Amino acid sequence: MISRILPVCLVALSSGCSLIGSQPYVPETKAVEVVTVTKQAVVYHPPMPNPIMTKPVEWKVLTPDTMDEYLEDLEKGEAPVNVYYGVSPTGYENLSVNMSEIKRYLRQMFSIITYYKELNDGQDEEKAD
């Protein structure tokens, strides 16, 4: 009897579950859809610098008359201790041109910064829609 049961058991074990029924259930799968969304990176805008706070500067123009008065007061010991700088008319013109160049540069930089800031603000409004 064991000789008949043994071959049946071996056939059942070697065939696995194929004798029990049909193919196992495989759910139907859908194709994967890949969508690429392009987003522009947000541009960082640093805060604008604080306005320039200038301190008052007293300008004194030395002419031959005021220089004579200063030298007299200096001999008497009544002259204030001041440091005088001399600038030639050409040097004064160069100083004026340099200051106007600094103002021009600052105006141009401010306009560039404002342009990019407004450009990014427009993109933020589009994202909100």
Side-chain angles (χ1 to χ4, degrees):
M1 169 125 173
I2 292 184
S3 63
R4 288 185 184 177
I5 295 177
L6 187 62
V8 173
C9 287
L10 289 175
V11 171
L13 288 175
S14 65
S15 65
C17 295
S18 64
L19 297 177
I20 295 175
S22 65
Q23 297 273 338
Y25 174 73
V26 177
E28 187 176 321
T29 58
K30 295 181 182 178
V32 176
E33 182 179 339
V34 177
V35 178
T36 304
V37 178
T38 307
K39 291 184 180 180
Q40 189 170 0
V42 177
V43 180
Y44 172 71
H45 296 288
M48 296 300 291
N50 293 333
I52 297 173
M53 304 299 284
T54 59
K55 301 195 184 238
V57 176
E58 182 181 332
W59 288 83
K60 189 181 242 184
V61 178
L62 291 178
T63 62
D65 294 335
T66 57
M67 189 62 174
D68 288 338
E69 290 176 21
Y70 176 74
L71 291 176
E72 289 174 10
D73 290 341
L74 187 63
E75 289 176 1
K76 295 178 189 173
E78 299 172 357
V81 180
N82 291 331
V83 177
Y84 289 99
Y85 293 98
V87 179
S88 66
T90 305
Y92 185 77
E93 288 175 10
N94 291 345
L95 182 63
S96 175
V97 168
N98 290 343
M99 290 304 294
S100 66
E101 278 294 305
I102 290 171
K103 287 168 61 175
R104 175 202 56 82
Y105 177 79
L106 289 173
R107 273 194 308 269
Q108 287 178 343
M109 290 302 293
F110 184 72
S111 67
I112 290 170
I113 290 168
T114 304
Y115 169 78
Y116 281 109
K117 189 172 184 179
E118 288 174 356
L119 181 69
N120 195 35
D121 287 343
Q123 291 175 354
D124 289 342
E125 290 174 4
E126 290 175 7
K127 289 179 184 178
D129 293 339

